[in-house]
Amino acid sequence: MLLLKAGYDVTREYYINDAGAQMDNFGASVLARAKGEPTPEGGYPGAYVDELAAIALDQRPDLLELPQDEALAVARQLGYEAQLADIRSTLDDFGVHFDVWFSERVLHAAGEAGGPGLVDRAVDRLRAQGYVFDRDGAVWVRTTDFGDDKDRVIRRSSGEYTYFAADAAYYLNKGDRGFAHKIYLLGADHHGYVHRLKALAGAVGEDPEKDVEILIGQLVSIGGARLSKRAGNIIEMDDLREWLGTDALRYSLARYPADSPLSLDPDLLRKRTNDNPVFYVQYAHARTHNVARNAADAGVDRSKFAPELLTHETESALLGALQEFPRVVAFAAEVREPHRVARYLEELAGLYHRWYDNCRITPLGDDPIESVHRTRLWLNDATGQVLRNGLGLLFMLPAAVFLLCFLTYPLGLGVWLGFTDTKIGRPGEFIGLENYVWLADDPVFWKSVFNTLFYTTIASVLKFGLGLWLALLLNQKLPMKTFFRAIILLNRSAFVL
């Protein structure tokens, strides 16, 4: 999102490691759990494998009756499909969306009419560039010419391709699809890929320092417990998101550099205090809406903007921070560090809170509305807009949008249920307009509609008249006028806060 907002043309692609020995170990783990056997050596011991085994048995009740090789292939495929569907669902719920899901199997598949596949063609293309040589029966790529610490085997003497062959085929395939600049985001155990991929870029005739970037992520720990899929002591994203909240989790991951080890404090992230940076920023955004609403109630409009009136030191600091937002976004995109946006938002929220404590937008008591109040309202709105834009860059819902979604959900659910025959205690089926046809023929329904419209109209007219009378009355010079106005507005002010 940050790159898109900065004006780049971006395609987000998820590379699925679904080929090779690890997939065989994965399939063996699923099959072993289905048989009630312990995890095989080099397999996956996580509890989630039990669920995958149950899914495989549900879809293929005859799984355990199949020959070993066939059972292994079926368990691997069914476990793979279930796991991939779970990954996609988890990322969707977390607000992370990919434009392309690229399977490693595509690289190893045969070409058209049984011709060479992408891996075979990648080796041929590298050889044509002059950087492939044969030694000891194996095929090598001379990556040391481009700063790699050693030359890389691309095909073993046994004829089996290495992981580097798939890396080369994938890199070339991305170029063939029109992507001139490639950004890799790899896991914490892939530091060796940095020189390897840059050398690969040079070997295919591209600029290693310009055409490819490799970002290395780090592991995350919760309360000191390292997350590890291999060891089986994982905390799944869905559970973590439900525990901490999507916004808190997204913001916490975004506010640190990708290459920085991250330890999350669950207790802090669940607090609704200023110590929680997520709450601190979102509260500042909500406060800008509250201030604007209260200003409207007090009669402060936006008919005047006179920046020369903003002379308080907190106003100068806030204005200075606001004008930095485009530069921060552009620089964060350029250096691939979205955490700079998060830290900027925290600084901006602090400046806004201090400004709020020192400068009034609404006049005090019976004081008249002046140009400085109107100008400060503009400053308040600008801060809210920047906070909203910044949170949007981090894929977070500002409080107002979240509230809108929360309030419209019951309405949407009611509309949907109107097209079903749902009863209390059992789910319903879609029946189209049958409920509405029945209502159209029911005289009691039409009487209810009439009574609703009639009494709503009468109540609205009476409330409008009463409100207008109170407004005119409290606008007169009366004893304790401010007190009575505060009493009337207290309930509403408390709600919007």
Side-chain angles (χ1 to χ4, degrees), residues 418-421 429-436:
F419 292 100
T420 70
D421 61 350
E429 297 181 354
F430 182 79
I431 59 173
L433 298 174
E434 289 184 20
N435 289 330
Y436 296 96

Side-chain angles (χ1 to χ4, degrees), residues 274-338:
N274 290 343
D275 294 335
N276 180 353
V278 186
F279 175 83
Y280 190 62
V281 174
Q282 288 188 316
Y283 177 65
H285 176 263
R287 174 172 269 182
T288 64
H289 282 272
N290 179 49
V291 167
R293 185 183 295 269
N294 289 341
D297 291 341
V300 180
D301 57 29
R302 298 170 179 82
S303 60
K304 181 71 173 179
F305 179 68
E308 66 275 8
L309 299 177
L310 301 177
T311 58
H312 195 275
E313 61 180 359
T314 60
E315 293 172 324
S316 299
L318 185 55
L319 284 167
L322 290 173
Q323 71 178 2
E324 284 292 296
F325 182 61
R327 186 195 62 80
V328 170
V329 172
F331 185 70
E334 180 183 351
V335 298
R336 319 297 190 231
E337 294 182 349

Side-chain angles (χ1 to χ4, degrees), residues 243-244 265-271:
W243 183 26
L244 302 179
D265 184 348
D267 294 332
L268 175 62
L269 294 179
R270 286 180 292 173
K271 288 182 178 179

Side-chain angles (χ1 to χ4, degrees), residues 86-166:
D86 184 65
I87 290 172
R88 298 184 71 154
S89 175
T90 295
L91 290 175
D92 282 341
D93 291 340
F94 194 50
V96 176
H97 307 289
F98 288 92
D99 305 306
V100 178
W101 291 75
F102 191 97
S103 169
E104 184 183 350
R105 296 179 181 182
V106 173
L107 302 175
H108 298 278
E112 295 183 4
L118 293 175
V119 170
D120 295 316
R121 283 183 278 168
V123 175
D124 292 341
R125 290 169 68 176
L126 287 171
R127 189 182 294 275
Q129 292 285 338
Y131 295 105
V132 170
F133 63 95
D134 300 312
R135 187 175 67 194
D136 301 329
V139 180
W140 299 69
V141 179
R142 192 175 293 104
T143 55
T144 52
D145 288 358
F146 301 96
D148 200 1
D149 57 343
K150 62 181 179 179
D151 293 330
R152 301 288 173 176
V153 175
I154 198 168
R155 186 168 61 196
R156 299 185 179 93
S157 58
S158 63
E160 181 183 6
Y161 283 113
T162 64
Y163 283 120
F164 185 61

Side-chain angles (χ1 to χ4, degrees), residues 315-438:
E315 293 172 324
S316 299
L318 185 55
L319 284 167
L322 290 173
Q323 71 178 2
E324 284 292 296
F325 182 61
R327 186 195 62 80
V328 170
V329 172
F331 185 70
E334 180 183 351
V335 298
R336 319 297 190 231
E337 294 182 349
H339 72 277
R340 294 178 180 273
V341 176
R343 297 306 177 116
Y344 166 82
L345 293 178
E346 293 170 32
E347 179 183 354
L348 180 63
L351 293 172
Y352 174 76
H353 289 311
R354 286 191 286 276
W355 172 74
Y356 175 87
D357 291 337
N358 287 277
C359 301
R360 296 190 59 84
I361 291 180
T362 57
L364 184 62
D366 296 330
D367 292 345
I369 298 174
E370 299 178 349
S371 295
V372 67
H373 301 116
R374 299 183 177 94
T375 302
R376 285 172 177 169
L377 180 56
W378 280 102
L379 182 56
N380 175 81
D381 294 346
T383 305
Q385 184 66 56
V386 170
L387 288 170
R388 184 159 53 253
N389 292 346
L391 290 172
L393 290 176
L394 302 178
F395 284 108
M396 292 177 59
L397 285 176
V401 179
F402 178 81
L403 183 62
L404 177 63
C405 296
F406 178 79
L407 293 177
T408 55
Y409 171 75
L411 177 61
L413 179 61
V415 172
W416 163 248
L417 292 177
F419 292 100
T420 70
D421 61 350
T422 302
K423 304 289 185 183
I424 296 177
R426 71 167 178 82
E429 297 181 354
F430 182 79
I431 59 173
L433 298 174
E434 289 184 20
N435 289 330
Y436 296 96
V437 172
W438 178 80

Side-chain angles (χ1 to χ4, degrees), residues 197-214:
L197 289 172
K198 285 187 173 292
L200 181 58
V204 300
E206 297 183 354
D207 186 343
E209 302 304 321
K210 179 180 178 182
D211 296 327
V212 61
E213 296 179 51
I214 301 96

